[in-house]
Amino acid sequence: MITKRSRRHLIGLSFIICQLSFSVAITSCADYNETDGFKAEPDPAAVLPYTDLGPVKSYIDKSAYPNMALGAQIKLTEFNKQELSHAAIVANFDNVAFGNSLMSGTIVNAKGVMNFLDMSDLLAHVEEIGYEVYGSPLFANANQADEWLARLTAPIEIAVDYVEGKTVNYNDVPVGNYDGTVDKGGASIVNYDDQNVLKVNASSNVRIIEGFEVDPNAKYTITFWARADKDLTFNITFSGNPIAGTGTNGAWSLKKDKWTKIVVEAQSAPDVADGYLRIETGRGNIVYVQKVQVGYYPDNHRQQTAQEISDTINYAINTWCDGFMEINKGRINSFDLIDEPIDAKAQLENGMFDIKHSTEKIFWQDIVGSENYAPVVSKAASEAYQRYGGKPEELKFFISETGLEDAKKLESLNYWIKTWDAKGAKIDGINAKLNLVYSEDATTQAANEASLNTLLTNLAATGKFIRLSNFDIKFQDATGANVSVDNITVAQRQKLADYYGFVIKSYMTKIPHDKQAGMCKSNLADTTSDPVGLWSLNSKKDWVRNATYKAFCDALSGK
């Protein structure tokens, strides 16, 4: 039975195969133009020699390269639309990856609620059509559920007792000048209503109690009695923090000829240590004050102990893995376990680069320990994978890293992988994120090619499965300026295509066949700025195969 979902896939796939994969008359695709509201006209510019080529992935000789696979990256929401880019991927590539779309930072909210709706749609669809997904990094320093981790490791609330603080009774103060702080205007001690009181003059800012320390995390209660000879309003500031009342524009109100108990609940401003309460009167408004009292509840939080944080982070690791793998049900079998762990700015005593650490937010490795990082997370992920139907012999974990053209960075990554392996981690391969450029300057380009070959030789020497991702190549002229998609010539496009072919053939010859985990293309079509695609976009935004498409086919077939 063809469901709406499968119908959309089949229609889109038929269209892309007709338009982009097989040598047939373009007009024969006309019946597939309409796809549940999505319309893509056949491309009249897709002319020989490229229309005689088959799907890109069909050129891989699986008997000679059994592990070689060609992947593509796209946004999950875009793939789930099952439109042109989806069909292009399914027709031409062996698997699909989704960047950070399946990472905890996208899926887990601040309260730990996990939203797997898009992932569930994806997995139901790829299971239906028999397609493979390469899993987003399970653990990383970026695109993680930082708000959830911060909430989990936040200080713990505890019971605290109310503390009586400073008290001032102005009836015990002699009539005369006011000895307290007057920030504006004036104040004095006067006899009013048969008692001594503090008189705050009109248009004045006067601290009616002060001289005590404050804790910005404590909650204070300040009470005082006030009276006026007419209805009026005034403002209040507590230790640098304006405190709103219930009157207009947050003012505090007094009715005339009546002593009123004013109760202020407040916290101090974060950067103020001196305790005080100030009342601020307006023009023509005089306020009389009697008996001011301060009390407070101390900060009712305590920091979690190291053991509590460790237990909490281990809970988070297992909760995240369990939730993800329950939805996965063994349908994704290859993952980036850890993404970009190496810190090239921090060096160990042995000369190797350290892994990343942070004092600003929670990094998994800072809690479980650097040497335990991969062992702990691979154990949690492996157990969850198997708990929900995954076959252990099919599971592969990679460590993904960028900048591995730097020999020391790759050496440091290999050091950490060996360290983690020795402690029982499951690490099957390395996912090397490329940053490739083709240069029209011959000397620069020779260096680019030598750097690539050195990288591949060093990767092969690790003995791990090797995957290359971020497989886009920018084109630079002889001066080092990027050549845009609008300005690249036919001859330059061919040079770029030839370099794509060079990279593919170098990978397939330098990485042992049994250790090849494939290559992943970042952009299917040219972007608005860079000519990085296998397809170009014509003036109608139709997808048009270019020389890079042919270069892929030729290189994969060994030509």
PDB file of all heavy atoms in Angstrom, residues 512-533:
ATOM      1  N   PRO A 512      42.450   2.185   3.775  1.00  0.00           N
ATOM      2  CA  PRO A 512      42.202   0.765   3.477  1.00  0.00           C
ATOM      3  C   PRO A 512      40.716   0.512   3.231  1.00  0.00           C
ATOM      4  O   PRO A 512      39.860   1.092   3.898  1.00  0.00           O
ATOM      5  CB  PRO A 512      42.705   0.046   4.726  1.00  0.00           C
ATOM      6  CG  PRO A 512      43.725   0.979   5.315  1.00  0.00           C
ATOM      7  CD  PRO A 512      43.233   2.349   5.014  1.00  0.00           C
ATOM      8  N   HIS A 513      40.433  -0.367   2.272  1.00  0.00           N
ATOM      9  CA  HIS A 513      39.048  -0.608   1.880  1.00  0.00           C
ATOM     10  C   HIS A 513      38.177  -1.025   3.066  1.00  0.00           C
ATOM     11  O   HIS A 513      37.010  -0.629   3.155  1.00  0.00           O
ATOM     12  CB  HIS A 513      38.988  -1.672   0.781  1.00  0.00           C
ATOM     13  CG  HIS A 513      39.624  -1.245  -0.498  1.00  0.00           C
ATOM     14  ND1 HIS A 513      39.487  -1.935  -1.676  1.00  0.00           N
ATOM     15  CD2 HIS A 513      40.410  -0.151  -0.805  1.00  0.00           C
ATOM     16  CE1 HIS A 513      40.163  -1.320  -2.634  1.00  0.00           C
ATOM     17  NE2 HIS A 513      40.734  -0.242  -2.124  1.00  0.00           N
ATOM     18  N   ASP A 514      38.745  -1.823   3.960  1.00  0.00           N
ATOM     19  CA  ASP A 514      37.942  -2.312   5.082  1.00  0.00           C
ATOM     20  C   ASP A 514      37.799  -1.276   6.194  1.00  0.00           C
ATOM     21  O   ASP A 514      37.114  -1.534   7.195  1.00  0.00           O
ATOM     22  CB  ASP A 514      38.532  -3.603   5.646  1.00  0.00           C
ATOM     23  CG  ASP A 514      39.926  -3.406   6.227  1.00  0.00           C
ATOM     24  OD1 ASP A 514      40.593  -2.404   5.879  1.00  0.00           O
ATOM     25  OD2 ASP A 514      40.355  -4.247   7.034  1.00  0.00           O
ATOM     26  N   LYS A 515      38.438  -0.108   6.038  1.00  0.00           N
ATOM     27  CA  LYS A 515      38.331   0.953   7.042  1.00  0.00           C
ATOM     28  C   LYS A 515      37.633   2.200   6.488  1.00  0.00           C
ATOM     29  O   LYS A 515      37.581   3.238   7.145  1.00  0.00           O
ATOM     30  CB  LYS A 515      39.725   1.340   7.565  1.00  0.00           C
ATOM     31  CG  LYS A 515      40.412   0.223   8.338  1.00  0.00           C
ATOM     32  CD  LYS A 515      39.602  -0.187   9.573  1.00  0.00           C
ATOM     33  CE  LYS A 515      40.299  -1.279  10.353  1.00  0.00           C
ATOM     34  NZ  LYS A 515      39.482  -1.729  11.523  1.00  0.00           N
ATOM     35  N   GLN A 516      37.104   2.094   5.284  1.00  0.00           N
ATOM     36  CA  GLN A 516      36.392   3.228   4.700  1.00  0.00           C
ATOM     37  C   GLN A 516      34.969   3.298   5.244  1.00  0.00           C
ATOM     38  O   GLN A 516      34.240   2.313   5.202  1.00  0.00           O
ATOM     39  CB  GLN A 516      36.368   3.097   3.175  1.00  0.00           C
ATOM     40  CG  GLN A 516      37.730   3.223   2.530  1.00  0.00           C
ATOM     41  CD  GLN A 516      37.701   3.005   1.037  1.00  0.00           C
ATOM     42  OE1 GLN A 516      36.641   2.820   0.443  1.00  0.00           O
ATOM     43  NE2 GLN A 516      38.876   3.030   0.402  1.00  0.00           N
ATOM     44  N   ALA A 517      34.631   4.452   5.783  1.00  0.00           N
ATOM     45  CA  ALA A 517      33.262   4.681   6.261  1.00  0.00           C
ATOM     46  C   ALA A 517      32.551   5.726   5.421  1.00  0.00           C
ATOM     47  O   ALA A 517      31.433   6.123   5.734  1.00  0.00           O
ATOM     48  CB  ALA A 517      33.277   5.107   7.731  1.00  0.00           C
ATOM     49  N   GLY A 518      33.202   6.162   4.354  1.00  0.00           N
ATOM     50  CA  GLY A 518      32.526   7.029   3.401  1.00  0.00           C
ATOM     51  C   GLY A 518      32.810   8.503   3.561  1.00  0.00           C
ATOM     52  O   GLY A 518      33.585   8.944   4.405  1.00  0.00           O
ATOM     53  N   MET A 519      32.146   9.265   2.689  1.00  0.00           N
ATOM     54  CA  MET A 519      32.307  10.709   2.622  1.00  0.00           C
ATOM     55  C   MET A 519      30.926  11.356   2.623  1.00  0.00           C
ATOM     56  O   MET A 519      29.976  10.798   2.088  1.00  0.00           O
ATOM     57  CB  MET A 519      33.058  11.099   1.345  1.00  0.00           C
ATOM     58  CG  MET A 519      34.331  10.307   1.111  1.00  0.00           C
ATOM     59  SD  MET A 519      35.125  10.655  -0.479  1.00  0.00           S
ATOM     60  CE  MET A 519      35.871  12.240  -0.133  1.00  0.00           C
ATOM     61  N   CYS A 520      30.831  12.538   3.225  1.00  0.00           N
ATOM     62  CA  CYS A 520      29.534  13.214   3.348  1.00  0.00           C
ATOM     63  C   CYS A 520      29.605  14.599   2.732  1.00  0.00           C
ATOM     64  O   CYS A 520      30.409  15.443   3.150  1.00  0.00           O
ATOM     65  CB  CYS A 520      29.116  13.304   4.811  1.00  0.00           C
ATOM     66  SG  CYS A 520      27.489  14.044   5.055  1.00  0.00           S
ATOM     67  N   LYS A 521      28.750  14.837   1.741  1.00  0.00           N
ATOM     68  CA  LYS A 521      28.676  16.143   1.063  1.00  0.00           C
ATOM     69  C   LYS A 521      27.789  17.084   1.861  1.00  0.00           C
ATOM     70  O   LYS A 521      26.674  16.735   2.243  1.00  0.00           O
ATOM     71  CB  LYS A 521      28.094  15.954  -0.338  1.00  0.00           C
ATOM     72  CG  LYS A 521      28.160  17.190  -1.211  1.00  0.00           C
ATOM     73  CD  LYS A 521      29.565  17.451  -1.685  1.00  0.00           C
ATOM     74  CE  LYS A 521      29.620  18.655  -2.645  1.00  0.00           C
ATOM     75  NZ  LYS A 521      29.330  19.921  -1.983  1.00  0.00           N
ATOM     76  N   SER A 522      28.285  18.291   2.096  1.00  0.00           N
ATOM     77  CA  SER A 522      27.516  19.243   2.904  1.00  0.00           C
ATOM     78  C   SER A 522      26.414  19.927   2.114  1.00  0.00           C
ATOM     79  O   SER A 522      25.297  20.091   2.603  1.00  0.00           O
ATOM     80  CB  SER A 522      28.436  20.298   3.511  1.00  0.00           C
ATOM     81  OG  SER A 522      29.274  19.720   4.485  1.00  0.00           O
ATOM     82  N   ASN A 523      26.708  20.369   0.892  1.00  0.00           N
ATOM     83  CA  ASN A 523      25.712  21.064   0.074  1.00  0.00           C
ATOM     84  C   ASN A 523      25.506  20.306  -1.222  1.00  0.00           C
ATOM     85  O   ASN A 523      26.460  20.012  -1.949  1.00  0.00           O
ATOM     86  CB  ASN A 523      26.177  22.491  -0.231  1.00  0.00           C
ATOM     87  CG  ASN A 523      26.067  23.408   0.964  1.00  0.00           C
ATOM     88  OD1 ASN A 523      24.972  23.834   1.331  1.00  0.00           O
ATOM     89  ND2 ASN A 523      27.195  23.700   1.587  1.00  0.00           N
ATOM     90  N   LEU A 524      24.250  19.983  -1.517  1.00  0.00           N
ATOM     91  CA  LEU A 524      23.937  19.285  -2.761  1.00  0.00           C
ATOM     92  C   LEU A 524      24.094  20.221  -3.953  1.00  0.00           C
ATOM     93  O   LEU A 524      24.714  19.877  -4.955  1.00  0.00           O
ATOM     94  CB  LEU A 524      22.503  18.763  -2.717  1.00  0.00           C
ATOM     95  CG  LEU A 524      22.134  17.839  -1.558  1.00  0.00           C
ATOM     96  CD1 LEU A 524      20.662  17.482  -1.640  1.00  0.00           C
ATOM     97  CD2 LEU A 524      22.990  16.593  -1.572  1.00  0.00           C
ATOM     98  N   ALA A 525      23.508  21.388  -3.846  1.00  0.00           N
ATOM     99  CA  ALA A 525      23.533  22.373  -4.925  1.00  0.00           C
ATOM    100  C   ALA A 525      24.374  23.572  -4.505  1.00  0.00           C
ATOM    101  O   ALA A 525      24.681  23.758  -3.320  1.00  0.00           O
ATOM    102  CB  ALA A 525      22.113  22.820  -5.260  1.00  0.00           C
ATOM    103  N   ASP A 526      24.758  24.382  -5.478  1.00  0.00           N
ATOM    104  CA  ASP A 526      25.487  25.613  -5.181  1.00  0.00           C
ATOM    105  C   ASP A 526      24.690  26.465  -4.195  1.00  0.00           C
ATOM    106  O   ASP A 526      23.451  26.511  -4.241  1.00  0.00           O
ATOM    107  CB  ASP A 526      25.704  26.426  -6.461  1.00  0.00           C
ATOM    108  CG  ASP A 526      26.692  25.773  -7.418  1.00  0.00           C
ATOM    109  OD1 ASP A 526      27.412  24.847  -6.992  1.00  0.00           O
ATOM    110  OD2 ASP A 526      26.718  26.181  -8.592  1.00  0.00           O
ATOM    111  N   THR A 527      25.402  27.142  -3.326  1.00  0.00           N
ATOM    112  CA  THR A 527      24.751  28.099  -2.451  1.00  0.00           C
ATOM    113  C   THR A 527      24.607  29.424  -3.195  1.00  0.00           C
ATOM    114  O   THR A 527      25.036  29.559  -4.346  1.00  0.00           O
ATOM    115  CB  THR A 527      25.566  28.317  -1.166  1.00  0.00           C
ATOM    116  OG1 THR A 527      26.786  28.993  -1.495  1.00  0.00           O
ATOM    117  CG2 THR A 527      25.893  26.981  -0.503  1.00  0.00           C
ATOM    118  N   THR A 528      24.037  30.400  -2.548  1.00  0.00           N
ATOM    119  CA  THR A 528      23.887  31.710  -3.188  1.00  0.00           C
ATOM    120  C   THR A 528      25.237  32.397  -3.379  1.00  0.00           C
ATOM    121  O   THR A 528      25.348  33.335  -4.156  1.00  0.00           O
ATOM    122  CB  THR A 528      22.984  32.616  -2.348  1.00  0.00           C
ATOM    123  OG1 THR A 528      23.517  32.708  -1.013  1.00  0.00           O
ATOM    124  CG2 THR A 528      21.563  32.066  -2.297  1.00  0.00           C
ATOM    125  N   SER A 529      26.278  31.909  -2.669  1.00  0.00           N
ATOM    126  CA  SER A 529      27.592  32.559  -2.768  1.00  0.00           C
ATOM    127  C   SER A 529      28.680  31.661  -3.338  1.00  0.00           C
ATOM    128  O   SER A 529      29.583  32.145  -4.031  1.00  0.00           O
ATOM    129  CB  SER A 529      28.027  33.071  -1.390  1.00  0.00           C
ATOM    130  OG  SER A 529      28.076  31.997  -0.463  1.00  0.00           O
ATOM    131  N   ASP A 530      28.615  30.356  -3.066  1.00  0.00           N
ATOM    132  CA  ASP A 530      29.743  29.493  -3.410  1.00  0.00           C
ATOM    133  C   ASP A 530      29.344  28.374  -4.372  1.00  0.00           C
ATOM    134  O   ASP A 530      28.282  27.743  -4.200  1.00  0.00           O
ATOM    135  CB  ASP A 530      30.336  28.869  -2.144  1.00  0.00           C
ATOM    136  CG  ASP A 530      30.956  29.910  -1.225  1.00  0.00           C
ATOM    137  OD1 ASP A 530      31.741  30.726  -1.721  1.00  0.00           O
ATOM    138  OD2 ASP A 530      30.649  29.902  -0.016  1.00  0.00           O
ATOM    139  N   PRO A 531      30.203  28.069  -5.332  1.00  0.00           N
ATOM    140  CA  PRO A 531      29.928  26.996  -6.304  1.00  0.00           C
ATOM    141  C   PRO A 531      30.329  25.626  -5.754  1.00  0.00           C
ATOM    142  O   PRO A 531      31.241  24.974  -6.269  1.00  0.00           O
ATOM    143  CB  PRO A 531      30.793  27.407  -7.505  1.00  0.00           C
ATOM    144  CG  PRO A 531      31.966  28.099  -6.889  1.00  0.00           C
ATOM    145  CD  PRO A 531      31.440  28.826  -5.678  1.00  0.00           C
ATOM    146  N   VAL A 532      29.655  25.173  -4.729  1.00  0.00           N
ATOM    147  CA  VAL A 532      30.082  23.965  -4.009  1.00  0.00           C
ATOM    148  C   VAL A 532      29.247  22.736  -4.352  1.00  0.00           C
ATOM    149  O   VAL A 532      29.496  21.655  -3.824  1.00  0.00           O
ATOM    150  CB  VAL A 532      30.026  24.205  -2.484  1.00  0.00           C
ATOM    151  CG1 VAL A 532      31.092  25.208  -2.064  1.00  0.00           C
ATOM    152  CG2 VAL A 532      28.638  24.680  -2.054  1.00  0.00           C
ATOM    153  N   GLY A 533      28.245  22.855  -5.225  1.00  0.00           N
ATOM    154  CA  GLY A 533      27.295  21.773  -5.418  1.00  0.00           C
ATOM    155  C   GLY A 533      27.611  20.853  -6.577  1.00  0.00           C
ATOM    156  O   GLY A 533      28.420  21.156  -7.456  1.00  0.00           O
TER     157      GLY A 533
END
